Amino acid sequence: MDYAYQWNWVMFGYGVAYAALVVFASSIAVRVTRARRRLGEET
Amino acid sequence: MATLVQKKSPVWPWIVMAIAGLVTFVAAMTVPPDAVQGQLSRIMYVHVPSAWLAYLSFGVTMIASGIYLWKRDLEWDRRAHASAEIGVFFTGLAIALGMIWGKSTWGTWWTWDARLTLTAIMFFVYLGYLALRRTTDDMDARAKRAAVMGILAIVQIPLVHFSVIWWQTLHQPPSIIKPEGPDMDTVMVLTLLTAVASFTVMYIAMMVKRVELARLEDAVLIAEQTNTGPAAGEAVVAPDLSGGA
């Protein structure tokens, strides 16, 4: 029950999951930076 | 506004998120494969924690919404908002991972099964919650509307969770939380619990950063609303009707 195709699916799943986590965390970081910059301009 | 903006943005949540992700990955890759599904069972160690975080996030949104309506403190509204956005992300991730697992085991990406359909509906309802928040810049009105929806939308969680018991579904019934105890191997249960705990820690770290962002967004909104810059029309000068005399 140890077929290579199974690892392909597992790696695809983990690739999707970790890429999505990095993108989501980065989106928070980018928005925090932008908001801080805007506040610096406003005040 | 000064209380909304921390001088320094904390770095530790990013480190905690990375460690939690690494712990989950190492645990999932070192556990023995399942006797029936083989290596494909490893997808469970990110699919189940993602679904758990969707429940947890929307539960926190409901509680924070209730406390906002009780105390009228906008900080609770920010927590509800932050948790809802994280919940939408993890619901989408649980669906995507479920589709990948489904294609590799069931042979199909999607089926209109009760669990899958209700999870998709929950995803869109909470997207609606996030959209509702963008309909007004009045922070109190926005918080009040969102709080009502954040409380009402929670009804979907028992529907999604018990759908595999109430209806005949292709999706399997619960394997761990059941009256007769888990029907999984102990090492698999422990690995799954490790992954769930790591994802929960990741959620806490994400909340710290997302609440910080919500505070900053409100501070920007307040600054824009109180900024008394030149109004349109101020540059127009009244015509001189004296005839140059």
Side-chain angles (χ1 to χ4, degrees):
Chain A
M1 186 54 93
D2 193 4
Y3 303 114
Y5 88 91
Q6 291 194 331
W7 275 110
N8 293 344
W9 281 111
V10 171
M11 286 303 138
F12 177 45
Y14 277 79
V16 167
Y18 282 81
L21 281 167
V22 167
V23 167
F24 183 62
S26 303
S27 90
I28 295 175
V30 167
R31 286 180 288 165
V32 165
T33 309
R34 274 192 198 155
R36 282 188 178 274
R37 199 174 298 157
R38 283 187 74 179
L39 273 176
E41 287 166 6
E42 292 282 343
T43 50
Chain B
M1 199 205 305
T3 54
L4 286 177
V5 184
Q6 294 166 281
K7 270 193 173 173
K8 279 195 173 180
S9 186
V11 176
W12 67 263
W14 304 124
I15 299 165
V16 169
M17 279 182 230
I19 292 171
L22 189 66
V23 167
T24 306
F25 186 77
V26 171
M29 291 301 139
T30 50
V31 70
D34 180 64
V36 179
Q37 288 198 36
Q39 310 297 351
L40 294 173
S41 63
R42 295 184 198 279
I43 299 174
M44 171 178 69
Y45 304 111
V46 274
H47 172 70
V48 173
S50 298
W52 151 247
L53 282 197
Y55 290 172
L56 176 69
S57 305
F58 297 146
V60 169
T61 294
M62 182 207 66
I63 293 166
S65 298
I67 298 176
Y68 167 75
L69 287 179
W70 175 35
K71 295 198 167 181
R72 300 289 164 152
D73 177 356
L74 283 169
E75 186 63 12
W76 286 102
D77 173 59
R78 291 181 201 113
R79 287 171 187 152
H81 180 200
S83 197
E85 189 180 290
I86 295 171
V88 167
F89 169 74
F90 279 104
T91 308
L93 187 57
I95 292 173
L97 290 167
M99 287 171 75
I100 292 168
W101 200 6
K103 179 63 182 168
S104 57
T105 53
W106 302 336
T108 182
W109 294 101
W110 186 263
T111 177
W112 294 103
D113 155 292
R115 167 62 73 85
L116 276 64
T117 309
L118 287 167
T119 308
I121 291 171
M122 184 170 79
F123 175 75
F124 286 111
V125 166
Y126 278 96
L127 266 187
Y129 169 93
L130 296 178
L132 177 70
R133 298 190 62 92
R134 301 175 76 100
T135 56
T136 178
D137 281 345
D138 179 338
M139 288 201 285
D140 293 313
R142 181 184 70 184
K144 209 187 305 172
R145 291 173 199 170
V148 171
M149 188 169 175
I151 292 170
L152 292 179
I154 201 71
V155 74
Q156 297 171 103
I157 294 205
L159 281 176
V160 168
H161 189 71
F162 294 112
S163 59
V164 287
I165 297 168
W166 293 339
W167 291 283
Q168 281 201 328
T169 57
L170 185 57
H171 192 287
Q172 66 175 68
S175 301
I176 294 183
I177 302 171
K178 52 198 293 188
E180 59 272 31
D183 57 5
M184 284 166 64
D185 190 80
T186 311
V187 71
M188 289 177 75
V189 172
L190 289 175
T191 307
L192 186 56
L193 291 178
T194 303
V196 165
S198 296
F199 266 53
T200 306
V201 170
M202 193 189 288
Y203 164 80
I204 294 167
M206 270 184 187
M207 273 294 280
V208 170
K209 294 308 292 184
R210 189 57 189 82
V211 170
E212 180 194 351
L213 174 59
R215 288 193 196 118
L216 287 166
E217 285 172 339
D218 279 358
V220 169
L221 193 61
I222 292 166
E224 283 173 353
Q225 287 172 350
T226 53
N227 188 358
T228 50
E234 271 186 9
V236 178
V237 179
D240 183 4
L241 302 174
S242 63

